[in-house]
Amino acid sequence: MINKPKGTRDILPNESYKWAYVENIANNIFKNYGYKEIRVPVFESTELFARGVGETTDVVQKEMYTFDDKGGRSITLRPEGTAGVVRAYLENGMGSLPSPVKLCYAMPMYRYENVQKGRYREFRQIGAELFGVSSYLADVEIILMADALIKKYNISDVTLNINSIGCKECRKSYQKALKDYINSKIDCYCETCKSRLEKNPMRILDCKEKKCKEANVNAPKILDYLCDECKEHFENVKKALTDAGIKYKVDSSIVRGLDYYSKTVFEFVSDKENYTILAGGRYDGLVEELGGVHTPAIGFAMGEDRLIEVYEKYNKESLVQENTPDVYIANVGEKAEKFVTILSKELRDNDIYVEKDISERSLNAQLKYANKTKAKYSLIIGEDEVETKKAKLKNMENGEEIEIELKSETIIKMIK
Ligand code: HAM
């Protein structure tokens, strides 16, 4: 037997409805905020992620599924959604649409990561991206939308952590101070961090190695180096969140694992599970980096796998129920079988969920199966019922039976 690759999961029918439910809720919220769905390819040119996400990030250096296709092009399975959405935005001239352009998605992503609870190699993200607004009001609106999502899933014990990582300008003086600090204790860092010092010292703040985390404890904080514009932007975001009643913590250690961010960054962390459910931020330089004109942008992505794990902890009572048949129609004999085929079709055409026998099983076996499907009602149709056009409709929950006319309108009235 061939097994599934490590880090992937089969979402079976007794689970898959939860994913549809969670995506449905997100779609409703996205609709109310004016976001429209975009679908982009699962694979893109490797260069898109190298340039977009950043050459020195863990995602690009260690986690991408990259291969040459038969035409010799280097291809990568998308490790995240933003770079592909920006590429599509540019390639389809969406910059000429009325601004802001608001896009949302629910898509699988691929990262070669150490597999553990809440961390998979194939996982789904529900995300939103907003293009064309530099005002702090866009940051506020997107964080409010993210907060609304988390609340709609009835998940408490989630902390919103925010930070500003400034713009290119204020990062120049910060990176100098950071490099000096790291250089002063360079032996305490892992080899990967040492190799990142020159090109991208801020990445070192995101290293997961214990000794690097310890070495970073007293590193200079980006918030102390923000330029006036970035400082004002961040102050405005914080004030507006407070005014809107949104609780948050400023966490100056958030730098995010992808290079495209600027100014506001944020993460919604499940305190119970101790992992991030939803994360995002501003990426004002990415559209330009990928060949477009300067276009401010901001977005987030929510880890659907993690969300469902947490969701189930908080929603034991109201967990969405699996869809069960409205009615099971059993048949006895050839005439009845033909009659049931037509009747079932009529009911299904009218949006009724019908199960019927297609395995030519005995009546006993059919009724056993009806019980297993947890059908709400059942009907047994034999030759007599076909003749008289009457049969007993059984309520499978309380066992009550009533004789009804075998017409689809009557059945629909009785079971809906
Ligand atoms: P990210 O922080 O890399 O950001 O991922 C966002 C969320 O995806 C994480 O907070 C987590 O819930 C989930 N996630 C990430 N990796 C895994 C994994 N291996 N297994 C399960 N869940 C995972 C981004 O991807 C950005 N594109 C977000 C964004 C959109 N920023 C701006 N716009």
Side-chain angles (χ1 to χ4, degrees):
M1 192 180 63
I2 300 165
N3 295 327
K4 61 188 179 309
K6 188 174 174 193
T8 65
R9 297 188 297 164
D10 298 317
I11 312 287
L12 304 182
N14 64 343
E15 294 276 333
S16 59
Y17 68 97
K18 296 175 194 165
W19 299 72
Y21 174 80
V22 155
E23 287 177 19
N24 232 347
I25 286 190
N27 284 339
N28 263 330
I29 290 182
F30 288 150
K31 179 178 79 59
N32 294 342
Y33 279 79
Y35 284 73
K36 306 243 161 68
E37 193 194 9
I38 184 165
R39 296 184 184 211
V40 291
V42 166
F43 58 87
E44 299 269 4
S45 295
T46 302
E47 195 194 348
L48 175 71
F49 301 112
R51 267 171 55 193
V53 172
E55 298 269 15
T56 49
T57 57
D58 273 0
V59 168
V60 170
Q61 284 187 333
K62 302 178 185 170
E63 296 170 2
M64 295 208 303
Y65 281 90
T66 297
F67 57 95
D68 284 347
D69 71 5
K70 291 193 192 325
R73 302 168 198 91
S74 182
I75 295 292
T76 292
L77 300 186
R78 63 173 171 237
E80 60 99 52
T82 311
V85 170
V86 172
R87 187 218 25 85
Y89 173 89
L90 286 170
E91 197 166 338
N92 296 287
M94 295 175 88
S96 61
L97 296 174
S99 173
V101 173
K102 299 176 179 179
L103 304 170
C104 60
Y105 51 85
M107 313 190 286
M109 310 289 164
Y110 301 86
R111 294 185 194 175
Y112 190 80
E113 296 215 60
N114 285 329
V115 178
Q116 50 186 273
K117 195 169 173 307
R119 194 172 290 282
Y120 308 100
R121 292 187 176 165
E122 182 186 60
F123 58 97
R124 280 182 82 81
Q125 284 185 345
I126 297 176
E129 314 289 353
L130 183 155
F131 295 91
V133 185
S134 58
S135 166
Y136 75 95
L137 290 172
D139 308 38
V140 174
E141 189 171 281
I142 208 124
I143 295 174
L144 287 182
M145 183 165 81
D147 183 72
L149 263 178
I150 300 286
K151 294 213 167 103
K152 197 76 187 175
Y153 295 119
N154 195 25
I155 298 170
S156 43
D157 295 333
V158 171
T159 305
L160 164 60
N161 295 317
I162 61 169
N163 192 22
S164 172
I165 56 168
C167 62
K168 259 191 187 154
E169 281 316 303
C170 42
R171 252 183 274 163
K172 274 185 199 154
S173 51
Y174 175 61
Q175 290 194 342
K176 188 178 173 316
L178 188 59
K179 263 192 203 170
D180 289 347
Y181 171 85
I182 294 168
N183 255 326
S184 72
K185 48 191 330 185
I186 191 74
D187 291 341
C188 304
Y189 287 92
C190 71
E191 290 308 310
T192 310
C193 283
K194 285 178 189 161
S195 73
R196 288 172 177 174
L197 182 65
E198 278 315 308
K199 272 197 172 160
N200 198 347
M202 279 174 77
R203 275 283 63 83
I204 296 174
L205 296 177
D206 202 37
C207 183
K208 316 268 179 320
E209 291 271 336
K210 195 169 167 244
K211 64 176 185 176
C212 305
K213 277 186 175 170
E214 281 166 12
N216 283 333
V217 167
N218 293 315
K221 307 275 180 246
I222 178 74
L223 286 180
D224 297 329
Y225 291 79
L226 293 186
C227 66
D228 287 346
E229 197 218 314
C230 287
K231 217 182 267 173
E232 190 186 344
H233 187 99
F234 194 46
E235 288 307 314
N236 282 334
V237 171
K238 286 191 295 179
K239 183 166 182 319
L241 289 179
T242 306
D243 290 347
I246 305 292
K247 285 200 186 114
Y248 61 85
K249 272 193 199 152
V250 175
D251 179 350
S252 60
S253 69
I254 302 177
V255 284
R256 308 280 300 119
L258 315 162
D259 270 356
Y260 47 64
Y261 290 110
S262 55
K263 291 188 175 166
T264 316
V265 286
F266 54 92
E267 297 181 345
F268 286 77
V269 181
S270 161
D271 303 330
K272 264 196 189 157
E273 301 297 328
N274 197 22
Y275 55 42
T276 304
I277 302 177
L278 181 155
R282 236 181 210 287
Y283 50 95
D284 288 348
L286 183 58
V287 175
E288 218 171 337
E289 175 65 40
L290 295 178
V293 295
H294 175 73
T295 309
I298 184 165
F300 67 74
M302 180 166 69
E304 214 177 326
D305 306 68
R306 293 185 187 183
L307 174 83
I308 287 173
E309 277 165 18
V310 178
Y311 177 85
E312 294 200 306
K313 294 225 154 109
Y314 283 95
N315 294 277
K316 285 241 155 45
E317 304 297 308
S318 63
L319 199 64
V320 273
Q321 292 301 313
E322 209 180 329
N323 195 17
T324 54
D326 293 314
V327 59
Y328 184 93
I329 311 182
N331 71 78
V332 194
E334 205 177 310
K335 239 187 188 174
E337 197 295 313
K338 287 199 169 77
F339 181 85
V340 170
T341 299
I342 308 288
L343 179 65
S344 301
K345 182 192 171 325
E346 277 174 19
L347 291 171
R348 286 165 171 164
D349 287 348
N350 280 287
D351 208 20
I352 302 292
Y353 173 11
V354 181
E355 284 291 351
K356 71 177 276 289
D357 178 60
I358 47 172
S359 313
E360 303 187 39
R361 286 192 275 216
S362 69
L363 178 62
N364 225 347
Q366 288 183 52
L367 293 180
K368 262 193 196 155
Y369 180 70
N371 269 325
K372 283 188 192 151
T373 64
K374 300 189 186 126
K376 293 164 199 119
Y377 290 91
S378 68
L379 274 168
I380 301 175
I381 299 180
E383 292 210 358
D384 280 358
E385 283 76 13
V386 175
E387 282 304 311
T388 58
K389 300 278 177 301
K390 284 189 178 155
K392 283 191 178 136
L393 179 73
K394 181 172 178 182
N395 180 324
M396 298 290 277
E397 209 169 278
N398 59 20
E400 265 175 29
E401 288 186 331
I402 46 170
E403 192 170 67
I404 60 162
E405 242 189 315
L406 277 182
K407 273 188 179 165
S408 48
E409 306 92 82
T410 317
I411 299 172
I412 293 167
K413 241 189 244 158
M414 297 302 297
I415 66 179
K416 270 286 158 185

